[in-house]
């Protein structure tokens, strides 16, 4: 990983179970305690997903696994209500058009500001925190960081489905030995039934672009093919995904169990390819596939942040030589303290929050490695 054969970067976009849908619960700190604010419309979204997928699972026998098909019922109800800023479609930039560096990052933060019921308030802060970590701690050149954001105060390009897909191709295109790549996403995540028998739990995980109600979600299968398959020997990719149901969003072959300190097999039952081309892919996600992530003001009292992103960036900034194992332990301990000290003591808050407490992050990888002997280096 010390070899520095340059990777080339394109233009910079720099600025300072079926029934479960993403809730990305908002945990608001109030005075000495905390309160939870359910996002309006989330129950309706969950019911729509449930009705659609129950009927789809019972009627589909053709092996269809399409995000556009999966969102068909949403389009019927919501088409015409989407009014995001006019977007620019980003082409996948030819490698020859880039400058030299062995680091490249794609940061996506989606607020869904055009659809109030699903709006998230912390994703712009998440992207800012991740960008600062990459530039200040790991030496990523600003011109090699592409940012997609629908923050109304930002000037970045919009995280539409097409733009995210093209930017994922940009991220890995022309990668060579010694390259370090980062894909970061903060936004909504969903699940849908798996019709190809390549998921152990029977569900595909997805991320939601800003236009997902119209254009559909981006499936874990497609993310895997786009940014995992092309990784050549000597190339290292980190995906950090702060979204609900994101545990195996890259469909990597090994999942780490922190409590048992062992790697668990995540190979697809169908035998479908999920591997790299010799490189290394590592994913850190906000929660397990059947759990939900959280936005919170617990940390700053003023700004909303994705809980996983804030905790991870703060720990790594304070411990730049930290290993993966110690990082996971510190994050888990920090989350446990927050859950117990700020919420669980209150019977009322506990009843309101139910399962929306901050979840432990999840680590997965294309290759098993010694997590307590390996430094966390992006």
């Amino acid at each position: 990983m010390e070899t520095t054969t340059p990777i080339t970067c394109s233009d910079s976009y720099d600025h300072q179970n079926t029934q479960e849908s993403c809730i990305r619960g908002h945990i608001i700190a109030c005075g000495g305690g905390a309160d939870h604010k359910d996002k309006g419309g989330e129950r309706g979204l969950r019911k729509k997903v449930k009705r659609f997928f129950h009927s789809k699972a019972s009627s589909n026998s053709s092996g269809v696994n399409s995000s556009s098909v999966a969102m068909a019922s949403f389009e019927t109800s919501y088409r015409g209500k989407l009014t995001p800023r006019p977007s620019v479609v980003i082409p996948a930039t030819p490698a020859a058009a880039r400058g030299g560096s062995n680091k490249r990052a794609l940061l996506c933060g989606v607020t869904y500001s055009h659809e109030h019921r699903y709006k998230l308030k912390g994703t712009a802060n998440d992207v800012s925190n991740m960008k600062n970590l990459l530039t200040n701690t790991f030496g990523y050149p600003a011109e090699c960081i592409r940012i997609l954001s629908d923050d109304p105060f930002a000037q970045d390009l919009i995280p539409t489905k097409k733009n995210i897909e093209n930017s994922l191709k940009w991220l890995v295109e022309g990668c060579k030995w010694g390259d370090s790549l980062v894909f970061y996403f903060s936004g909504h995540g969903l699940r849908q039934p798996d019709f190809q028998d390549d998921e152990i739990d029977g569900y595909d995980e997805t991320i939601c672009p800003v236009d997902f109600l119209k254009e559909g979600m981006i499936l874990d299968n497609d993310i895997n093919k786009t940014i995992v398959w092309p990784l050549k020997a000597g190339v290292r990719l980190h995906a950090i995904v702060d979204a609900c149901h994101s545990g195996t969003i890259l469909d990597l072959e090994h999942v780490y169990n922190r409590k048992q300190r062992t790697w668990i097999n995540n190979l697809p039952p169908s035998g479908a390819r999920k591997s790299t081309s010799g490189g290394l892919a590592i994913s850190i996600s906000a929660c397990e596939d059947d759990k939900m992530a959280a936005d919170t003001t617990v940390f700053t009292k003023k700004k909303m942040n994705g809980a996983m992103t804030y905790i991870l960036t703060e720990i790594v900034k304070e411990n730049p030589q930290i290993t993966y194992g110690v990082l996971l332990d510190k994050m888990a301990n920090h989350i446990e303290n927050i859950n117990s000290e700020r919420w669980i003591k209150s019977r009322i808050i506990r009843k309101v929050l139910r399962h929306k407490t901050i979840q432990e992050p999840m680590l997965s990888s294309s290759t098993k490695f010694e997590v307590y002997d390996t430094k966390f280096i992006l």
Side-chain angles (χ1 to χ4, degrees), residues 140-214:
Y140 277 67
E143 64 271 17
C144 289
I145 300 176
R146 176 179 286 188
I147 297 176
L148 302 185
S149 172
D150 63 335
D151 182 345
F153 299 103
Q155 299 301 314
D156 304 301
L157 296 181
I158 306 298
T160 61
K161 182 178 182 181
K162 180 60 67 176
N163 282 346
I164 293 176
E165 289 174 337
N166 283 341
S167 293
L168 288 172
K169 295 175 184 176
W170 165 86
L171 181 65
V172 299
E173 187 176 11
C175 59
K176 299 180 179 66
W177 182 282
D179 293 342
S180 296
L181 313 174
V182 172
F183 168 53
Y184 174 78
F185 179 85
S186 178
H188 283 307
L190 293 167
R191 325 172 72 193
Q192 68 177 51
D194 162 39
F195 299 113
Q196 295 184 344
D197 193 32
D198 61 357
E199 298 283 349
I200 293 177
D201 63 357
Y203 294 93
D204 283 314
E205 286 67 48
T206 74
I207 57 174
C208 297
V210 67
D211 56 351
F212 79 103
L213 292 177
K214 179 180 179 181

Side-chain angles (χ1 to χ4, degrees), residues 106-320:
L106 170 62
L107 312 181
C108 300
V110 194
T111 68
Y112 312 92
S113 57
H114 60 284
E115 192 69 47
H116 180 71
R117 287 165 294 181
Y118 314 130
K119 185 176 181 179
L120 295 173
K121 298 180 179 179
T123 57
N125 296 327
D126 291 342
V127 167
S128 178
N129 288 339
M130 185 56 60
K131 180 193 169 188
N132 289 337
L133 180 70
L134 292 177
T135 56
N136 298 332
T137 303
F138 294 106
Y140 277 67
E143 64 271 17
C144 289
I145 300 176
R146 176 179 286 188
I147 297 176
L148 302 185
S149 172
D150 63 335
D151 182 345
F153 299 103
Q155 299 301 314
D156 304 301
L157 296 181
I158 306 298
T160 61
K161 182 178 182 181
K162 180 60 67 176
N163 282 346
I164 293 176
E165 289 174 337
N166 283 341
S167 293
L168 288 172
K169 295 175 184 176
W170 165 86
L171 181 65
V172 299
E173 187 176 11
C175 59
K176 299 180 179 66
W177 182 282
D179 293 342
S180 296
L181 313 174
V182 172
F183 168 53
Y184 174 78
F185 179 85
S186 178
H188 283 307
L190 293 167
R191 325 172 72 193
Q192 68 177 51
D194 162 39
F195 299 113
Q196 295 184 344
D197 193 32
D198 61 357
E199 298 283 349
I200 293 177
D201 63 357
Y203 294 93
D204 283 314
E205 286 67 48
T206 74
I207 57 174
C208 297
V210 67
D211 56 351
F212 79 103
L213 292 177
K214 179 180 179 181
E215 299 297 333
M217 304 170 285
I218 300 177
L219 276 64
D220 51 3
N221 299 336
D222 299 325
I223 297 174
N224 179 275
K225 290 178 183 177
T226 304
I227 63 174
V228 174
W229 283 23
L231 299 178
K232 301 175 183 178
V235 179
R236 180 179 59 211
L237 166 74
H238 283 87
I240 300 174
V241 181
D242 202 341
C244 297
H245 311 301
S246 56
T248 59
I249 191 62
L250 257 64
D251 269 356
L252 300 179
E253 298 163 297
H254 308 282
V255 173
Y256 187 71
N257 185 312
R258 187 187 66 86
K259 294 180 179 179
Q260 297 180 6
R261 295 197 174 190
T262 186
W263 289 96
I264 299 173
N265 170 47
N266 190 46
L267 292 171
S270 66
R273 177 186 173 182
K274 298 295 180 179
S275 61
T276 69
S277 295
L280 174 64
I282 297 173
S283 175
I284 298 179
S285 48
C287 58
E288 297 178 6
D289 288 337
D290 60 347
K291 298 294 191 300
M292 288 172 286
D295 271 351
T296 179
T297 59
V298 163
F299 309 109
T300 64
K301 307 302 182 192
K302 295 180 180 180
K303 292 183 178 181
M304 190 77 77
N305 294 98
M308 189 270 285
T309 300
Y310 188 91
I311 294 172
L312 183 148
T313 54
E314 289 299 307
I315 290 176
V316 174
K317 283 191 293 185
E318 294 175 3
N319 306 271

Side-chain angles (χ1 to χ4, degrees), residues 336-350:
E336 182 179 0
N337 290 337
I338 293 173
N339 287 340
S340 60
E341 294 176 6
R342 294 185 179 272
W343 306 333
I344 305 304
K345 290 181 181 180
S346 169
R347 183 176 301 174
I348 296 177
I349 295 299
R350 182 170 65 246

Side-chain angles (χ1 to χ4, degrees), residues 39-102:
K39 287 172 58 59
E42 288 160 351
R43 292 182 180 177
L45 176 62
R46 189 159 58 236
K47 289 179 180 178
K48 287 178 181 293
V49 173
K50 182 176 182 179
R51 285 199 301 268
F52 175 66
F53 285 143
H54 272 309
S55 62
K56 201 66 183 172
S58 61
S59 63
N60 190 313
S61 59
S62 61
V64 175
N65 190 5
S66 166
S67 62
S68 58
V69 171
M71 297 309 297
S73 63
F74 288 96
E75 292 188 43
T76 302
S77 300
Y78 291 102
R79 181 176 290 156
K81 294 186 178 182
L82 290 174
T83 55
R85 293 187 289 140
S87 62
V88 178
V89 175
I90 309 171
T93 307
R98 302 166 182 158
S101 173
N102 71 320

